[in-house]
Amino acid sequence: MAKLFDQVLVVDIESTCWQGYPPAGQISEIIEVGLCPVDVKKLARLEKRSLLIKPIRSKISEFCTKLTTLTDEHFRAAGTLADAVGILKKEYRSPDRLWASWGDYDRRQFERVCKELTVPYPFGVGHLNIKTLFAVAYGDNGEMGLDEACERIGLPLEGTHHRGHDDAWNIAGIFCHLLQKFRLGGTLVA
């Protein structure tokens, strides 16, 4: 099947987490896939979506709830990782589109968790690390956090930081900003 360049799928995942090491017998797993497709021609964010995934190998810790606002209650009707992968493939044609995230954590976590749970990886080989792209575009010596990058370009950080759908929306805003500057041949001002 041919690659599609009409949209880039901006993804941000949240995983079970703890302050320090995980408790015995628990493994970090994906609990939310935040998604914001970007219309490449219009440089427009198309939607903000959250796919919640019920954890099966870990519990939602107090630390995780403080960070993400997600509680056990959020996952009572949540689907499985396989359900989320099915939605990405069917509704967004994820294997045929470039996908992007803020950093490489999301890609590595998806690869690891899909392999461990024998769930097909939902994406093709094309992944764009917007965190690295941002640093290179601005000539920085290192990468910065999402909140710092939004502040730097004057983009308000919308929603709740560390909720997948809100972070995906904000990352997509930064991505659109970078593409707009590149297309206009404009200078990125720090």
Side-chain angles (χ1 to χ4, degrees), residues 133-142 152 188:
L133 178 64
F134 187 88
V136 170
Y138 278 96
D140 294 341
N141 291 327
R152 183 172 188 177
L188 294 169

Side-chain angles (χ1 to χ4, degrees), residues 22-181:
Q26 294 191 45
I27 298 170
S28 177
E29 59 189 313
I30 299 168
I31 54 174
E32 181 183 23
V33 177
L35 177 68
C36 180
V38 169
D39 181 310
V40 175
K41 284 193 170 103
K42 296 178 183 173
L43 295 182
R45 297 178 279 189
L46 299 176
E47 73 172 302
K48 182 188 333 184
R49 185 164 183 187
S50 172
L51 303 172
L52 293 179
I53 299 166
K54 186 177 289 202
I56 56 172
R57 302 181 304 163
S58 60
K59 304 266 188 248
I60 304 298
S61 70
E62 186 178 321
F63 175 79
C64 190
T65 296
K66 283 181 184 175
L67 186 67
T68 66
T69 73
L70 293 168
T71 65
D72 288 329
E73 184 66 31
H74 287 97
F75 299 98
R76 291 184 197 248
T80 64
L81 178 63
D83 294 334
V85 164
I87 290 168
L88 289 168
K89 287 181 167 185
K90 183 178 179 183
E91 294 182 29
Y92 298 95
R93 296 186 61 186
S94 59
D96 304 320
R97 289 194 164 102
L98 177 65
W99 75 286
S101 63
W102 190 258
D104 223 19
Y105 169 81
D106 302 78
R107 181 188 58 78
R108 288 192 320 268
Q109 182 75 335
F110 247 115
E111 288 172 350
R112 181 185 67 80
V113 174
C114 284
K115 183 177 180 182
E116 290 172 359
L117 297 178
T118 63
V119 172
Y121 183 69
F123 303 106
V125 296
H127 174 259
L128 179 62
N129 181 333
I130 297 174
K131 186 178 193 178
T132 300
L133 178 64
F134 187 88
V136 170
Y138 278 96
D140 294 341
N141 291 327
E143 298 173 333
M144 64 177 61
L146 177 59
D147 50 347
E148 295 171 284
C150 284
E151 185 178 324
R152 183 172 188 177
I153 63 172
L155 184 71
L157 191 64
E158 296 181 46
T160 302
H161 192 29
H162 298 299
R163 274 303 305 270
H165 62 296
D166 289 331
D167 283 352
W169 181 262
N170 291 312
I171 295 163
I174 291 171
F175 181 56
C176 289
H177 165 83
L178 290 173
L179 289 181
Q180 182 71 34
K181 292 289 188 181

